[in-house]
Amino acid sequence: MKNKLTLSLAALALATTSLAYTPSAEVRQSQEEFAADRFGIFLHWGIYSMFGQGEWYLNYGPKADEYAKAAKGFYPADFDADAWVKAIKGAGARYICFTTRHHDGFSMWHTAQSDYNIVDATPFKRDVLKELSDACQANDVKLHLYYSHIDWTRPDYPWGRTGHTTGRDSTAADWPAYYDFMNRQLTELLTDYGPVRAIWFDGWWDHDSDTIPFDWQLAPQYEMIHRLQPACLVGNNHHQNPYEGEDIQIFERDVPGENTAGYSEQDISRLPLETCQTMNGMWGYKVVDTNYKDTVTLIRYLVKTAGQGANLLLNIGPQPNGELPAAALDHLAGMGRWLEANGETIYGTTSSRLPKAEWGTSTHRGDTTYIHVTDPGVSSITVPWNKKIKKLSAYAEKSRLQYKHSKDSLSIAIPIRADDTPDYIIEVVNR
């Protein structure tokens, strides 16, 4: 009995991976472009914005049939896809990840698989995803699509550890039907909405405590995505080591190598890395959540993420009227001004080769190292350095700095600067 169970569990584990997966040339090219971009914007938007309680509101008590009535009042009259994309591009972000369907099951495009979507179920009658896709293409911003593996409204989705109060029949699960529904929706997204650079999955963790490991059948789903759009990347926010068939590794609310939020015990892989983080506290719009991280903090977080060789996917929760919050736009504009002056030290760079330090980090390109001192109280730093130096100067002022270089170390004096200086950058060029 024990041996049969072991074999069964092993078979289930193998079913969720594709041992023969080799990234195509198109995927490898997308991986390189993705890693060079370093900065993207996450957009959590759905009918949950109507309640102003965040994207998980349905999980906290409402019945799904009552919750769905909000669709009849969802009319985001101020939605302007082109304005969104231009503001995001002006922030220095190179890509957008949009929530096509969150755990509440509402589709933010005109899907033929369910009437529970923004065109058929709302008076707005506009396909916001189509408009966003067109705006991204017109403004040369890459589009990534978030898709939830969870649905708290459909009875055929197998009962997990969330969504127990929505009124679903827990005995009506039909995984083959639900899996087919998801794949038909994904086919629409990858067929009708232009080039999609990544599919960003979420929800695997809903079955992470099942007695018998749940088979999400990820391998054939991933293979389908790569077949439909050969350059499309696959990422999954499962908080596990990457599965075969995945092309990027995601870390939630932490830079790779840290676990302050409790989601990131996984190893750091050799895949391109991405950290998703909120601009305030929530992912979806919450009316009382006005505690936005200031621009200086956001810039320092972007720098820290780049120093770990990862992208920052910074979230905004659009308002129910279709506008991006004014505070978010203000901070994005500040990030854009900083990146316009300093983006060379972030875009297209590789991770720090220096030991982890409290004062900051570094990024690299070719023979050039950009040392980022994000602690304004530091007056000097010493780092290991065994290469000959051709030039060492302040990046912004292009002025030479005092330094001492021995065989194996480099000490640099840092000028006095204001406390709100987000990042003092030193450019070091090796011979």
Side-chain angles (χ1 to χ4, degrees):
M1 184 67 178
K2 184 177 180 181
N3 288 340
K4 289 182 179 179
L5 178 60
T6 301
L7 288 172
S8 176
L9 293 178
L12 283 168
L14 285 172
T16 64
T17 62
S18 175
L19 298 178
Y21 176 69
T22 300
S24 66
E26 294 92 338
V27 163
R28 291 195 297 272
Q29 179 65 31
S30 288
Q31 287 175 318
E32 291 179 9
E33 293 175 356
F34 169 82
D37 283 351
R38 283 293 176 250
F39 185 30
I41 294 296
F42 216 166
L43 294 167
H44 272 72
W45 196 39
I47 60 170
Y48 44 80
S49 67
M50 295 280 289
F51 301 96
Q53 299 295 320
E55 77 290 349
W56 271 57
Y57 179 64
L58 179 57
N59 184 64
Y60 300 132
K63 300 301 181 185
D65 55 352
E66 290 295 319
Y67 176 92
K69 293 176 182 178
K72 291 295 185 182
F74 191 43
Y75 195 91
D78 296 315
F79 171 70
D80 183 336
D82 195 60
W84 278 21
V85 174
K86 285 179 177 175
I88 288 167
K89 185 173 183 177
R94 300 286 182 83
Y95 63 97
I96 289 171
C97 186
F98 181 72
T99 49
T100 62
R101 191 180 73 111
H102 210 270
H103 313 325
D104 67 348
F106 186 79
S107 297
M108 292 292 285
W109 80 97
H110 194 198
T111 178
Q113 313 310 320
S114 167
D115 292 336
Y116 196 41
N117 68 73
I118 192 165
V119 175
D120 295 322
T122 81
F124 194 54
K125 303 299 180 188
R126 283 165 53 186
D127 190 333
V128 299
L129 179 58
K130 181 64 169 64
E131 294 178 27
L132 190 62
S133 174
D134 290 345
C136 283
Q137 292 178 63
N139 290 281
D140 192 27
V141 173
K142 301 298 183 183
L143 180 64
H144 298 189
L145 300 180
Y146 170 108
Y147 188 87
S148 172
H149 274 130
I150 298 173
D151 194 315
W152 293 328
T153 65
R154 290 181 62 95
D156 53 359
Y157 170 68
W159 195 261
R161 63 175 171 87
T162 63
H164 292 179
T165 61
T166 65
R168 285 193 308 132
D169 182 355
S170 63
T171 68
D174 185 346
W175 170 251
Y178 181 69
Y179 185 70
D180 181 63
F181 161 76
M182 287 196 298
N183 287 339
R184 282 185 280 115
Q185 283 207 317
L186 288 164
T187 297
E188 288 179 348
L189 293 172
L190 292 165
T191 303
D192 302 332
Y193 291 88
V196 175
R197 193 173 65 176
I199 294 292
W200 205 100
F201 285 116
D202 193 19
W204 180 98
W205 36 262
D206 198 42
H207 286 279
D208 60 7
S209 57
D210 290 5
T211 303
I212 298 176
F214 187 79
D215 182 7
W216 286 101
Q217 294 180 265
L218 296 179
Q221 195 168 68
Y222 292 174
E223 290 165 0
M224 179 193 73
I225 292 167
H226 289 133
R227 182 174 68 256
L228 290 169
Q229 288 207 26
C232 186
L233 306 173
V234 174
N236 197 323
N237 187 39
H238 44 43
H239 311 147
Q240 307 291 307
N241 291 337
Y243 288 101
E244 293 291 330
E246 294 172 7
D247 306 301
I248 61 175
Q249 185 179 15
I250 299 164
F251 294 81
E252 183 174 350
R253 292 188 183 272
D254 270 305
V255 299
E258 296 185 359
N259 189 26
T260 62
Y263 303 127
S264 300
E265 295 181 352
Q266 65 268 41
D267 298 330
I268 300 174
S269 74
R270 296 176 64 87
L271 295 175
L273 310 175
E274 181 182 71
T275 288
C276 58
Q277 181 58 274
T278 55
M279 188 174 284
N280 48 356
M282 297 294 293
W283 300 100
Y285 176 70
K286 187 172 183 179
V287 67
V288 299
D289 184 13
T290 58
N291 187 27
Y292 284 82
K293 301 172 182 68
D294 61 44
T295 304
V296 169
T297 299
L298 292 173
I299 291 170
R300 289 174 180 167
Y301 200 88
L302 171 63
V303 169
K304 183 178 182 181
T305 306
Q308 291 298 104
N311 291 11
L312 174 60
L313 182 61
L314 184 62
N315 182 75
I316 303 171
Q319 297 167 175
N321 70 339
E323 288 184 307
L324 301 179
L329 289 173
D330 180 62
H331 294 320
L332 286 180
M335 295 182 78
R337 289 189 293 271
W338 186 88
L339 279 165
E340 186 175 4
N342 303 287
E344 179 186 26
T345 73
I346 301 295
Y347 302 126
T349 61
T350 57
S351 61
S352 174
R353 299 170 189 165
L354 303 179
K356 188 175 181 180
E358 293 297 324
W359 50 258
T361 187
S362 70
T363 54
H364 301 262
R365 182 189 292 104
D367 292 330
T368 302
T369 298
Y370 303 103
I371 298 176
H372 300 265
V373 182
T374 53
D375 183 347
V378 171
S379 59
S380 66
I381 61 170
T382 299
V383 296
W385 206 278
N386 57 12
K387 295 183 178 180
K388 293 182 179 180
I389 296 173
K390 180 179 180 180
K391 183 181 76 171
L392 189 154
S393 61
Y395 179 78
E397 300 86 355
K398 306 301 180 186
S399 57
R400 293 190 176 276
L401 299 175
Q402 294 183 350
Y403 68 92
K404 292 181 179 179
H405 182 210
S406 64
K407 181 180 179 182
D408 296 314
S409 70
L410 172 63
S411 297
I412 308 171
I414 314 296
I416 297 173
R417 55 217 178 276
D419 289 344
D420 62 353
T421 302
D423 180 21
Y424 188 82
I425 306 171
I426 303 164
E427 182 178 10
V428 187
V429 180
N430 297 317
R431 290 189 184 276

